[in-house]
C-alpha cells in the first residue's frame, strides 16, 4: 500500500532501508537498526542530505531489545544475512523481540545463506537451513507462511540464499 511500517534489522549500509522508502514506502515509516554506530552514522548522513523524514535510525543490539519501538507497531521486519550471527544463547532474545514488535497480521522475513558449500558467506557451522529456522520459530508461536529457496547467486545447481517468512499464530 505504500504506508506500512518496515523494520530493517541489521541494516548495515542502509541499502535495503533506502530502497524500501524510494520504491515501496513513500508514505510509510522505515526503521533502520544496526549494532554498528558507523553504519548508522553513514545512513544518517544520507537521511539528512535527502531530507528523509520517514526514516528512523537506531543504534541497537537486537538481543537487548528496541525499547524505542512500540509493541505491535511493525508491519514487516526484514533480516537480510543477519540471523546466522546469533547463537543459541541469544536467538530466543531476538525472536521474542521480533515477535513483540510485529503486528498481529505482520510478517517477519528472513533471507540468509543456505548451508551449502560456496565461497561466499559465513562459515558453514553457523549457517541455518530453512527447516531448522522453521523449527526454531515454531517454538515461539510463529508459523512459516512463505519459503523461496531459489534466490541469490548461482553456485553450480543451487542458489546461495533462501527467503522465509513467518507470522504470529
Amino acid at each position: 500500500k505504500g504506508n506500512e511500517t518496515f523494520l530493517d534489522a541489521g541494516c548495515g549500509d542502509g541499502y535495503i532501508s533506502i530502497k524500501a522508502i524510494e520504491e515501496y514506502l513513500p508514505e510509510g515509516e522505515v526503521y533502520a537498526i544496526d549494532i554498528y554506530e558507523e553504519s548508522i552514522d553513514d545512513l544518517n548522513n544520507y537521511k539528512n542530505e535527502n531530507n528523509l523524514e520517514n526514516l528512523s535510525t537506531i543504534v541497537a543490539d537486537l538481543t537487548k531489545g528496541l525499547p524505542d519501538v512500540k509493541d505491535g507497531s511493525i508491519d514487516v521486519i526484514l533480516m537480510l544475512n543477519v540471523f546466522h550471527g546469533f547463537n543459541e544463547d541469544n536467538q530466543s532474545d531476538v525472536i521474542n523481540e521480533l515477535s513483540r514488535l510485529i503486528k498481529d497480521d505482520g510478517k517477519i522475513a528472513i533471507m540468509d545463506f543456505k548451508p551449502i558449500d560456496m565461497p561466499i558467506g559465513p562459515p558453514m557451522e553457523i549457517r541455518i537451513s530453512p527447516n531448522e529456522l522453521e523449527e526454531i520459530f515454531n517454538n515461539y508461536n510463529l508459523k512459516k507462511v512463505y519459503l523461496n529457496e531459489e534466490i541469490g547467486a548461482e553456485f553450480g545447481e543451487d542458489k546461495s540464499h533462501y527467503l522465509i517468512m513467518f507470522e504470529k499464530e
Side-chain angles (χ1 to χ4, degrees), residues 132-149:
E132 291 170 307
L133 205 56
E134 182 179 1
E135 265 185 53
I136 293 167
F137 273 69
N138 285 344
N139 292 327
Y140 297 85
N141 295 318
L142 295 162
K143 67 177 180 177
K144 177 183 78 175
V145 294
Y146 178 83
L147 174 62
N148 181 346
E149 296 184 81

Side-chain angles (χ1 to χ4, degrees), residues 75-151:
D75 292 295
V76 177
I77 296 173
L78 175 65
M79 283 188 136
L80 178 58
N81 295 335
V82 172
F83 197 83
H84 66 260
F86 300 111
N87 60 41
E88 289 181 22
D89 294 334
N90 57 27
Q91 284 177 352
S92 63
D93 295 331
V94 171
I95 297 169
N96 281 325
E97 184 64 357
L98 298 178
S99 184
R100 179 189 75 79
L101 296 170
I102 201 78
K103 291 180 178 178
D104 286 341
D105 60 346
K107 303 277 187 285
I108 299 169
I110 298 178
M111 184 174 167
D112 221 320
F113 289 91
K114 288 182 180 178
I116 59 173
D117 188 31
M118 62 181 129
I120 62 169
M124 281 292 273
E125 60 269 13
I126 66 170
R127 295 183 192 202
I128 301 172
S129 75
N131 290 340
E132 291 170 307
L133 205 56
E134 182 179 1
E135 265 185 53
I136 293 167
F137 273 69
N138 285 344
N139 292 327
Y140 297 85
N141 295 318
L142 295 162
K143 67 177 180 177
K144 177 183 78 175
V145 294
Y146 178 83
L147 174 62
N148 181 346
E149 296 184 81
E150 297 302 320
I151 55 179

Side-chain angles (χ1 to χ4, degrees), residues 43-61:
L43 192 51
N44 278 330
N45 290 336
Y46 182 88
K47 173 184 172 178
N48 294 333
E49 290 168 5
N50 293 279
N51 198 26
L52 295 177
E53 294 180 17
N54 59 341
L55 175 62
S56 297
T57 56
I58 302 172
V59 176
D61 179 346

